[in-house]
Amino acid sequence: SLHPRLVLRPTPRDADAYSHSCANTYECVVAALLLDTGQTIPVNRTIVLGRAPSPLSEADSPITVDDQTRSLSRTHVRIKPSAGGITIEDLDSANGTRTRTPNGQTHTLSPGQPIELPINSQLLLGERLISVVDYASVASVGLRNLLFVFLVIW
């Protein structure tokens, strides 16, 4: 099938089981990162973001973010899936990482201190704005766009 089965919101008591059984599959993706460029990154595994990221462990998947302003560090943050969104950790970036939750609360991350963020939060990495969105909403848009392209070509 073109569209993966999604487990949208594990209950809090299922959070430990979620982290062990779902963290590395698309079947259980809850969140995606929507970059200010329009790029979408599903958070289905541990990722490190930056201009030229280097994985810090075997579990890290490096994802390069184009940054002409060079406000992102080479390896800026580590992001992991969580039951209600993401867990983010600043990796001692030069320009820091700031967050805003859906209720408007802001926080500047201390390097090496991970925090959990819910869907509809925003990240400011250097000068780059990234939204934490519900994966199901961007996946369905992507599927509709794919279907549209198929129909146009056909």
Side-chain angles (χ1 to χ4, degrees), residues 36-116:
D36 51 12
T37 61
Q39 179 183 1
T40 303
I41 302 167
V43 182
N44 66 321
R45 64 201 180 285
T46 301
I47 58 177
V48 288
L49 292 180
R51 284 185 292 115
S54 297
L56 304 175
S57 75
E58 287 185 24
D60 294 341
S61 296
I63 297 182
T64 301
V65 176
D66 184 39
D67 183 38
Q68 300 300 317
T69 66
R70 297 182 61 91
S71 66
L72 280 178
S73 292
R74 290 176 58 83
T75 304
H76 200 101
V77 294
R78 176 184 285 132
I79 298 173
K80 299 178 181 183
S82 68
I86 65 168
T87 299
I88 183 168
E89 175 186 357
D90 184 274
L91 298 173
D92 204 19
S93 63
N95 291 319
T97 302
R98 293 179 297 282
T99 66
R100 181 182 314 131
T101 59
N103 67 7
Q105 186 177 24
T106 60
H107 184 76
T108 300
L109 273 64
S110 298
Q113 297 296 312
I115 65 166
E116 191 165 337

